[in-house]
């Protein structure tokens, strides 16, 4: 190893502030699984990552699915008899059930109620609902708004279009020394929700900035895709390429409360699983590891049995386990700079370990090599002056039989990965391991 794979962490405040600024800019946009909101979002990300934008036409078959019609919306409201908007899409885009078909007309309140969704247990919050694959229309509103609707009839308008178009996603590939890839994927299909959706996008942009400036062994693929149909589409169009993915993470919900959470790959013992176990075991805050389950974000598709890719998922409190999830309370106040920074910091730690992790072979395996005559004893004796730990050197020599990776040596020895890596660099420099 000649190249330094351990770069300096960018300034914490600047980095988390940049993530937060991006989230604030993306927040007002009405996104869905297709449509101009996705294009606008990708356009803003493109200011920081040179994304390739893909447009996949409606009707294209992708495994067992088809690319749906494209949905766009300009306006929607419910007006009372005085002509006042009692529910107004322009005030909050969560008010319209995503993929609502166009509708215009007067509706009796008892019929209208079949199209209205509220959260009685949180009377000020607006829920987030979708109806991608069933043609219907609806509004989401707070329970307080609904309680105030006392008239017999309302004027309803959903000025949307659902027509032939395309599904849009963004992709950026950064080549490394090898064609082996690390996949980083985030969904881009939610409207004004911060933690679920925008925090993941912001983390990916921060990771891109880190990876792009560092020397790297791996190639990196960044995907900004609509949830579920986006990963299915990418896999269908890139089936041959998928085998290059050696490690991957789906990033979702990384700015909210709760400790960092890593969900294992379907394999359960992939290198990425071990790397995150190591990173979290060595972190002092509350963090947790979940086993794989076939529910969640796009890891469901990447880990489907026909691919079984080593792709885990990073988040904080898992989706559905915090009351703000999929409601208007998942807003700019819900996320924090600290959580965003902690999430990106742990992901960068994982990337650093993946980059540096490898197995060496001891070139002098019959009895210990004489370290003193190579000047290594000074390094050993002067632990406090140098970064190389004597015991770490002995562990690397002992376990470098070609099958133990540096991460495994760190796990077995209890020494920090950086310490083991520094010892390996020193020994490799003296041709004692290769
Ligand atoms: Zn969601």
């Amino acid at each position: 190893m000649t190249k330094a794979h351990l770069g300096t962490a960018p300034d914490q405040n600047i980095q988390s502030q940049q993530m937060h600024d991006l989230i604030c800019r993306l927040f007002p946009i009405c996104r869905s699984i297709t449509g101009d909101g996705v294009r606008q979002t990708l356009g803003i990300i493109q200011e920081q990552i040179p994304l390739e934008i893909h447009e996949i036409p409606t009707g294209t078959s992708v495994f067992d699915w088809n690319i749906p019609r494209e949905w766009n919306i300009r306006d929607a409201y419910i007006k009372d008899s005085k002509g006042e908007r009692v529910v107004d899409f322009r005030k909050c885009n969560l008010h319209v059930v995503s993929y609502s078909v166009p509708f215009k007309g007067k509706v009796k309140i008892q019929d209208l109620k079949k199209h209205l969704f509220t959260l009685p247990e949180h009377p000020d919050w607006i829920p987030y609902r979708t109806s991608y694959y069933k043609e219907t229309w609806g509004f989401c509103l707070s329970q307080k708004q609904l309680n105030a609707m006392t008239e017999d009839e309302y004027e309803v308008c959903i000025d949307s279009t659902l027509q032939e178009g395309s599904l849009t996603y963004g992709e950026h590939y950064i080549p490394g020394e090898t064609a082996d890839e690390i996949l980083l994927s985030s969904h881009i299909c939610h409207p004004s929700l911060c933690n679920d959706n925008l925090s993941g996008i912001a983390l990916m942009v921060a990771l891109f900035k880190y990876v792009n400036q560092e020397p790297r062994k791996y190639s990196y693929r960044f995907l900004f895709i609509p949830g579920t149909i986006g990963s299915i589409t990418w896999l269908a169009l890139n089936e041959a390429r998928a085998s290059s993915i050696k490690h991957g993470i789906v990033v979702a919900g990384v700015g909210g409360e709760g400790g960092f959470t890593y969900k294992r790959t379907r394999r359960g013992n992939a290198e990425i699983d071990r790397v995150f176990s190591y990173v979290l075991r060595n972190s002092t805050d509350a963090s947790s590891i979940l086993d794989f389950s076939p529910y969640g974000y796009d890891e469901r598709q990447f880990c489907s049995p026909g691919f079984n890719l080593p792709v885990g998922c990073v988040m904080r409190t898992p989706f559905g386990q915090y009351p703000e999830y999929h409601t208007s309370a998942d807003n700019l106040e819900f996320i924090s700079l600290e959580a965003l920074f902690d999430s990106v910091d742990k992901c960068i730690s994982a990337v650093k370990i993946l980059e540096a992790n490898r197995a060496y072979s001891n070139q002098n395996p019959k009895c210990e090599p004489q370290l003193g005559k190579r000047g290594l004893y000074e390094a050993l004796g002067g632990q406090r002056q140098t970064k190389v730990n004597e015991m770490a050197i002995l562990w690397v020599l002992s376990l470098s039989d070609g099958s133990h990776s540096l991460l495994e040596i760190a796990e077995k020895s209890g020494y920090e990965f950086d310490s083991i890596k520094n010892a390996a660099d020193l020994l490799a420099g003296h041709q004692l391991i290769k």
Side-chain angles (χ1 to χ4, degrees), residues 117-127 140-145 322-325 327-330:
F117 304 95
T118 64
L119 290 167
E121 64 277 27
H122 295 287
D124 290 312
W125 297 359
I126 305 162
C140 299
L141 62 162
S142 71
Q143 184 63 39
K144 278 190 179 166
Q145 278 175 298
Y322 51 99
E324 296 86 353
Y325 172 73
T327 77
S328 56
D330 179 2

Side-chain angles (χ1 to χ4, degrees), residues 2 15 17 60 81 83 145 150 155 203 221 243 259 273 323 367:
T2 50
Q15 191 175 42
Q17 192 58 54
T60 306
S81 56
Q145 278 175 298
T150 53
E155 186 189 333
L203 187 146
R221 188 175 300 279
S243 59
D273 298 322
C367 300

